[in-house]
Amino acid sequence: MTTDLMPGALSAHAIRDEPYYRAVGDEIEIFAAAYAGRLPVMLKGPTGCGKTRFVEHMAWRLGRPLVTVAAHEDLTAADLAGRFLLAPEGTVWQNGPLTMAVRGGAICYLDEIVEARQDATVVIHPLTDARRALPLEKKGELVPAHPDFQLTISYNPGYQSAVKDLKESTKQRFVAIEFDYPAPAVEAEIVAREADVSGEQARGLIEVGLRSRNLRGQGLAEGASTRMLIHAGKLLRAGAPVDAAIRAAILLPITDEPDLREALGAAIAASLPAGLAA
Amino acid sequence: MTTGALSRPDALPRPAAAAGAATRLLRLAGDRADVGQQLRATLDRLRRRWSAEDVDDWAEGALALVHANAGGRCLALFCRLTDMSRGAGAAALAADACAAAELARRAGSKAAAAALEAAPAVAARLAPPDRARWWAALSRLARAAPDCVEPLVERSAIVLAAGGAHGFKDFVAAGLKAGGGDRGRLKAFFTLADPAARRLLERSAGEGGFHELERGLVLFGAALWGAPPRLAALEGVGAAPAAQRVSLAGDLIRMPHVYRGVPADAAPGLYRAALAHAMAHRVFGGPRRPAGKLKPLQIALVGLIEDARVEALAMRRFPGLRALWGPWHVARPVAATNAALLMGRLARALFDPDYEDPDGFVAKGRRLFADASGRLEDPTLARAIGGLLGNDIGQMRLRFDPKGYVVEPLYRDDNLGLWDFGDEPDAQAEEIEQAVDAARPRPEEDDDGRVADAPPREEAGRAREVEPDGAGQAIASYPEWDRAAGVERPRWTTVRDAPAASGDRRALAAALEALPGFRQRIARLVRGARVGRTARLKRQPEGFDLDLDAAVEAGVALRVGDIPEERIHRADGRRARDVATVALVDVSESTRDRVGAATVLEIEKLAVAALGAAMDAIGDRFAVRAFASCGRDEVRLTRVKEFSGRMDDAAMARLAGLSSGLSTRLGAALRHAGAELAPLRSHRKLVLALTDGEPSDIDVADPLDLAEDARRAVLALRRTGVDVFGVTLGEGCDARIFGRANTLPVRRIEELPARLSELYFRLARL
């Protein structure tokens, strides 16, 4: 909609087609309300349950471009805010993705923010309170946030070690929305749609997911995610036999422990009808 | 002849060899009132069948019995054996007699007579070379535990049935090992009263037993039903072999050690089928019902219908269970000669819709069950249908043997859990449960999965109840490698939490200060160790990548005519230290030995004190455990310092309070150290074993056994990412346990810093 008005750099980040998202609760309303108040949002939940898809869907719904940054352990404040580069005529300032979003009024999504270095998490602080500004230390500039700018982060409290936890001063700046794997019927609907498989096949894959999620804490750090189930579904859709698809998309990636893999494989076989498990 | 070694014992006193053995035998025993006549008759018969040489060979054997003072009964039994084994040659029989004579000398003529009495049955089962193995095993037992020979001979058939002659030999070896020097325990083992002995017999029958599969089963159960099931192995009662059906008691599922006769590759599937069936009872079954006045046949039939009912419900939930259970339904429509056979067919008919059976009873059962398919959730259904069918089977006048009846197919449970027989089975279940809990390895863990850091219990007032002998409470049990048998014996050793004594920490501190510069050198080494996690370092003089910010700054500096900074690269380097260390201090009797001026234990204390102080100062995670053992049931571990505690005065006092005594079961101590390290999140994990390098224990004859076990424990730890180093003190240390590179021999305390620097050097490279 407003993409034409966006600065050139941001137009690439515009979302033109509706990303499929199946709401499981009031998350769309909460996010929309938070956006109306320009409150920063934290999405909590296990991997592969639809956090990223949800942000894409909301950006489309709100008509804002979406700048996504996947945080990693080398991500520094400069990588987010920007840095001077050398050009023939001298140094030029290169905006980082966060600065681009702040200036252009995009939604900035920082995925797995705890992975980033401490200085990177602190740089977002002024953006998440009443100041709504990004100080560019190196440039000596304070960039006021565009009225449409909003910050969203994702955070999976489960698998990070205790040393890698969000600081209390960071956590308390956000409105949180909790995500979990959807109820079986809903998840089947999602898998059927995303992987383009039959309802029966999707329901079978949901059973597979439930088996593995029962082993959370029993040797598995996480059960099979919705994303994993969709991958298995896509293999099925492309003609792979069921046991091969489950093995390739779920059993092999999820654990390196042979005992665990065998037990999970047996439990999966036990919960699928003979026709599907063949 | 393969048995030649036994047939002519040269040690026997021999009269002038001029006369033949048969003549000498007659001269010595031919006139005896008890066996003279029988001997003469046997010799006469043999002379007709054999050459004179063969007869002499045989007589040589009989003479051995005479010389061993084995008594008339043994001679008579030898004649009986000779008559009964017509096909056997003279040499083989003579070998039997010589072996029996050996038994008579070691364990008394009663044991020898028992063996000779059992010999015909054994001979029928075993070929001569295997027979010699049987005798050799008995002879070994006679040397080590003479009073156990007779009980074992009486149970030869059971032991041979489980594993043949080789199994028999291994069984004796394992029994001697398990019993240690303890006569009571040996006796219990060889009378098969010890559950460990029965377990061994069951396991020798084949691989694929409960203990190998237990973890996989728990995971399977958890994945299907959401919560991990509580499993235990079934113990037999007395010498009776343990039952072959699952048994449910309370919320405990007890499973056979092995399913006899099931090939190893089918065992995992069978155990899973059995677990799934037990869980079907648990989830879909009703409460226990009073058995009341029901007859055994009715009880069996109601159980059969109930099995079908819960399985049908379970298959609605998990359709794939049909494929798991199906292969075990093998009943066929053959002529039914008793009720049990017919019931097996009914069980299949209710399970398998494609099964065809012409029998009217089976068809009726099927019809009744099908009619009730709409109300399968009703727990009283089985009682109703079972009652109706019971009448029918009664009218068919088929024999039902309640004692011999076992539930079919194999994976189903004994169904005793369905009934309340009014004998308070709850109390029984509780008892079983307690026994199981006590035997379960359970390092105490707090909520976030760490091994509890309770303060070591030197303060008697706060101490938990400790057994009066100071062995301490059992906290975990670990397997041990049996070198002779080449298998790992599960739950073989018990680690106990031994209380720490308090010693003179000032004297220890003074001794440490007396070594010039020692403490400082250790501290420097520990501080300098490169044991951190790798990280990207910025602004490095060299590296694989440009540090963009630094490069731009350098470029700017160049253009404005400044001297640019040269460190414009990014590189991998080590950042914060992240290492957890367990120091295992050997405090066995042999640490009393002197190495130079000091004892091994004194050197160990100084080394740990210096290391502890250094690691404490820089905040490395570090725990100290002292270990000594008194047989496999008593591996005592003393907690000198916890990971969370400081190397403070109290810890130093506990360290100073260690004293030498008992033996060295290094493998168990290493496994426990590994278990304590497992829940910690650390980049590097390190076990530092300070020992005189020679594992031994009172119940193990061959020290190589424990050395090999320790070596395997080291390898297992290494596989889980734990580096194990042995600081070996004293002479003659075996580098095989820790590996040559990880063995750090220290002969004087002054050598320790040099060895430690080697250790850290290796650690940085690994």
Side-chain angles (χ1 to χ4, degrees):
Chain A
M1 41 187 281
T2 54
T3 47
D4 297 339
L5 303 173
M6 287 174 195
L10 274 181
S11 62
H13 294 272
I15 296 169
R16 291 185 171 76
D17 302 319
E18 176 181 358
Y20 169 73
Y21 181 76
R22 167 71 159 84
V24 293
D26 54 2
E27 69 269 25
I28 291 180
E29 290 75 22
I30 296 281
F31 192 98
Y35 183 77
R38 299 298 185 268
L39 296 173
V41 175
M42 171 198 296
L43 309 180
K44 295 176 80 163
T47 179
C49 66
K51 299 189 293 283
T52 303
R53 179 63 67 85
F54 172 70
V55 181
E56 285 170 6
H57 178 83
M58 289 311 297
W60 172 83
R61 195 175 263 259
L62 297 167
R64 302 311 312 159
L66 177 69
V67 176
T68 300
V69 180
H72 54 83
E73 57 180 17
D74 265 351
L75 188 87
T76 61
D79 294 326
L80 284 177
R83 55 166 52 93
F84 282 108
L85 293 180
L86 271 182
E89 63 277 14
T91 56
V92 286
W93 176 261
Q94 166 80 44
N95 278 334
L98 180 62
T99 312
M100 189 166 71
V102 168
R103 286 190 201 276
I107 293 175
C108 183
Y109 178 49
L110 302 178
D111 201 0
E112 294 299 352
I113 183 70
V114 287
E115 293 290 340
R117 289 191 180 202
Q118 289 288 356
D119 61 335
T121 46
V122 173
V123 80
I124 63 176
H125 280 192
L127 281 169
T128 52
D129 53 31
R131 289 173 280 174
R132 277 181 60 84
L134 175 65
L136 298 177
E137 204 184 313
K138 292 222 177 93
K139 218 173 159 216
E141 184 187 345
L142 188 70
V143 184
H146 187 284
D148 291 340
F149 167 78
Q150 198 245 12
L151 183 71
T152 299
I153 64 172
S154 80
Y155 170 52
N156 179 359
Y159 70 71
Q160 279 93 14
S161 62
V163 268
K164 278 192 174 175
D165 199 359
L166 273 188
K167 290 204 292 190
E168 208 56 31
S169 61
T170 308
K171 272 186 199 169
Q172 296 209 0
R173 291 164 184 275
F174 290 86
V175 169
I177 301 177
E178 180 149 44
F179 284 73
D180 203 344
Y181 304 120
V186 177
E187 195 171 22
E189 187 188 319
I190 294 170
V191 171
R193 195 201 133 103
E194 288 283 287
D196 191 19
V197 292
S198 72
E200 192 200 356
Q201 283 174 316
R203 278 189 295 279
L205 289 171
I206 300 313
E207 277 295 318
V208 172
L210 291 177
R211 297 290 78 74
S212 70
R213 289 170 202 169
N214 277 343
L215 289 179
R216 210 190 296 189
Q218 305 277 340
L220 285 187
E222 292 277 358
S225 60
T226 310
R227 175 170 48 216
M228 258 186 164
L229 302 181
I230 292 169
H231 288 176
K234 285 183 172 166
L235 294 183
L236 285 183
R237 174 75 195 149
V242 177
D243 51 351
I246 288 173
R247 193 176 154 75
I250 295 167
L251 280 180
L252 286 175
I254 208 168
T255 176
D256 299 323
E257 200 191 322
D259 275 2
L260 189 60
R261 192 181 295 154
E262 197 189 326
L264 179 57
I268 288 172
S271 45
L272 295 182
L276 195 59
Chain B
M1 260 293 159
T2 42
T3 52
L6 276 172
S7 61
R8 293 182 193 269
D10 296 327
L12 294 181
R14 268 188 210 203
T23 320
R24 276 181 285 130
L25 176 64
L26 284 175
R27 198 183 302 152
L28 274 173
D31 299 328
R32 283 175 69 151
D34 47 359
V35 291
Q37 195 191 346
Q38 195 177 355
L39 267 179
R40 286 196 303 275
T42 308
L43 269 174
D44 283 345
R45 274 198 297 280
L46 290 180
R47 281 193 177 113
R48 283 198 288 277
R49 272 165 41 204
W50 287 349
S51 69
E53 276 158 17
D54 279 352
V55 173
D56 271 351
D57 275 353
W58 180 90
E60 205 78 68
L63 272 172
L65 283 171
V66 175
H67 290 309
N69 255 335
R73 184 164 154 69
C74 281
L75 280 170
L77 284 166
F78 179 50
C79 292
R80 169 172 163 264
L81 170 67
T82 306
D83 288 340
M84 286 176 77
S85 34
R86 279 287 168 89
L93 284 165
D96 288 338
C98 289
E102 167 85 7
L103 280 190
R105 261 194 299 277
R106 304 271 183 190
S109 63
K110 222 168 144 237
L116 281 169
E117 193 162 9
V122 172
R125 186 192 277 274
L126 301 178
D130 278 344
R131 214 153 108 198
R133 282 193 189 96
W134 180 72
W135 281 113
L138 286 179
S139 157
R140 178 173 176 202
L141 184 61
R143 280 196 300 277
D147 56 341
C148 292
V149 172
E150 221 183 311
L152 179 62
V153 164
E154 284 163 12
R155 290 161 182 83
S156 279
I158 301 174
V159 180
L160 286 171
H166 284 283
F168 193 87
K169 195 174 116 238
D170 293 345
F171 182 77
V172 169
L176 290 175
K177 206 166 143 119
D182 187 309
R183 285 184 57 174
R185 266 208 254 168
L186 283 167
K187 192 83 173 230
F189 191 95
F190 289 108
T191 52
L192 306 189
D194 183 350
R198 294 195 301 268
R199 213 173 303 149
L200 194 68
L201 286 183
E202 308 221 331
R203 289 168 54 83
S204 68
E207 285 300 299
F210 173 73
H211 283 295
E212 282 96 10
L213 301 171
E214 182 178 359
R215 183 177 139 71
L217 286 171
V218 169
L219 291 171
F220 173 75
L224 269 184
W225 308 95
R230 279 163 45 78
L231 305 181
L234 269 173
E235 301 292 352
V237 180
Q244 284 285 283
R245 292 295 182 279
V246 170
S247 188
L248 306 181
D251 73 335
L252 197 61
I253 299 171
R254 293 184 298 152
M255 313 190 98
H257 279 289
V258 287
Y259 280 103
R260 285 188 286 274
V262 173
D265 55 350
L270 175 56
Y271 273 98
R272 273 184 217 125
L275 176 59
H277 179 80
M279 289 304 294
H281 274 302
R282 182 86 357 113
V283 175
F284 300 106
R288 276 209 325 247
R289 321 195 143 261
K293 293 202 165 58
L294 284 182
K295 295 194 189 78
L297 175 64
Q298 286 168 313
I299 287 183
L301 269 170
V302 173
L304 191 156
I305 305 294
E306 176 70 3
D307 283 341
R309 183 183 80 86
V310 296
E311 284 187 3
L313 288 170
M315 284 188 290
R316 276 191 197 168
R317 176 74 189 81
F318 300 119
L321 289 176
R322 179 173 292 284
L324 191 61
W325 287 326
W328 303 99
H329 284 269
V330 291
R332 308 220 144 269
V334 290
T337 52
N338 62 42
L341 277 176
L342 199 58
M343 284 163 63
R345 284 160 58 182
L346 177 61
R348 177 164 187 187
L350 296 185
F351 175 85
D352 180 358
D354 299 332
Y355 172 70
E356 286 172 18
D357 195 301
D359 187 90
F361 168 79
V362 173
K364 178 170 180 189
R366 222 174 198 173
R367 198 175 60 245
L368 287 172
F369 193 72
D371 289 347
S373 64
R375 49 184 192 99
L376 280 181
E377 283 81 3
D378 179 3
T380 61
L381 183 89
R383 181 82 174 245
I385 298 181
L388 288 172
L389 290 172
N391 295 337
D392 282 37
I393 222 168
Q395 283 160 14
M396 291 162 77
R397 299 188 186 284
L398 281 173
R399 206 172 62 83
F400 179 74
D401 168 17
K403 287 212 173 62
Y405 175 72
V406 281
V407 177
E408 289 290 347
L410 198 50
Y411 69 81
R412 288 188 173 169
D413 65 295
D414 59 15
N415 276 343
L416 294 182
L418 298 177
W419 302 100
D420 182 354
F421 293 102
D423 56 355
E424 296 178 52
D426 276 340
Q428 183 206 351
E430 204 167 288
E431 207 170 281
I432 296 164
E433 224 161 277
Q434 281 169 357
V436 167
D437 278 351
R440 203 155 282 244
R442 188 182 43 187
E444 286 152 46
E445 291 186 351
D446 59 21
D447 290 344
D448 49 30
R450 300 217 176 125
V451 174
D453 287 330
R457 295 169 288 105
E458 54 178 337
E459 306 89 342
R462 285 198 287 151
R464 265 184 302 177
E465 202 170 320
V466 174
E467 287 168 29
D469 58 357
Q473 195 132 3
I475 47 174
S477 67
Y478 297 99
E480 188 169 280
W481 180 253
D482 185 333
R483 191 172 63 100
V487 295
E488 192 161 72
R489 304 252 180 247
R491 295 185 191 168
W492 192 255
T493 56
T494 305
V495 170
R496 293 175 183 277
D497 186 12
S502 197
D504 185 354
R505 66 180 165 81
R506 289 196 179 78
L508 180 59
L512 198 57
E513 288 307 324
L515 294 165
F518 177 73
R519 211 161 53 88
Q520 291 75 5
R521 278 168 71 196
I522 298 277
R524 207 160 45 236
L525 275 167
V526 170
R527 214 167 37 235
R530 308 201 318 151
V531 286
R533 200 181 286 276
T534 55
R536 299 273 165 79
L537 301 178
K538 308 189 80 177
R539 297 181 190 277
Q540 296 296 304
E542 52 191 25
F544 58 85
D545 198 4
L546 275 183
D547 179 346
L548 210 52
D549 294 327
V552 169
E553 279 170 29
V556 171
L558 274 175
R559 292 195 190 183
V560 300
D562 274 356
I563 300 165
E565 172 64 68
E566 286 176 358
R567 293 179 300 165
I568 56 163
H569 293 93
R570 298 200 307 163
D572 278 339
R574 305 208 183 236
R575 227 164 27 181
R577 305 171 64 85
D578 191 6
V579 59
T581 311
V582 177
L584 275 179
V585 185
D586 178 359
V587 291
S588 63
E589 184 63 31
S590 53
T591 57
R592 225 184 272 278
D593 294 353
R594 292 201 166 267
V595 180
T599 67
V600 170
L601 184 62
E602 282 163 7
I603 296 180
E604 287 177 342
K605 285 181 185 177
L606 287 174
V608 171
L611 275 172
M615 293 191 183
D616 201 41
I618 54 171
D620 275 0
R621 282 194 279 188
F622 177 57
V624 183
R625 302 283 180 264
F627 71 99
S629 62
C630 181
R632 66 187 176 95
D633 281 337
E634 210 179 308
V635 182
R636 302 184 185 185
L637 243 82
T638 309
R639 298 191 276 163
V640 175
K641 180 191 173 296
E642 300 295 330
F643 283 113
S644 62
R646 301 292 306 264
M647 195 70 196
D648 51 10
D649 288 352
M652 284 290 276
R654 286 190 291 269
L655 180 62
L658 296 176
S659 55
S660 298
L662 307 178
S663 316
T664 320
R665 213 170 189 110
L666 183 57
L670 285 170
R671 287 186 182 92
H672 190 75
E676 292 205 75
L677 280 169
L680 297 183
R681 287 199 178 111
S682 273
H683 178 57
R684 300 306 288 267
K685 294 178 179 179
L686 189 60
V687 173
L688 214 56
L690 294 94
T691 168
D692 56 3
E694 291 159 4
S696 67
D697 208 341
I698 48 164
D699 54 355
V700 181
D702 187 348
L704 276 183
D705 285 2
L706 288 180
E708 177 64 13
D709 172 61
R711 193 180 72 83
R712 296 184 69 92
V714 168
L715 289 177
L717 282 182
R718 205 162 285 162
R719 274 197 297 278
T720 62
V722 178
D723 292 305
V724 186
F725 288 88
V727 177
T728 55
L729 303 124
E731 305 295 325
C733 289
D734 193 345
R736 270 177 300 179
I737 295 177
F738 302 101
R740 192 162 298 281
N742 286 16
T743 304
L744 311 168
V746 173
R747 276 174 208 89
R748 293 176 304 133
I749 184 71
E750 289 81 4
E751 290 179 12
L752 185 68
R755 296 292 166 268
L756 216 53
S757 76
E758 284 170 23
L759 183 158
Y760 281 125
F761 182 65
R762 267 191 65 74
L763 214 51
R765 280 191 317 166
L766 286 174

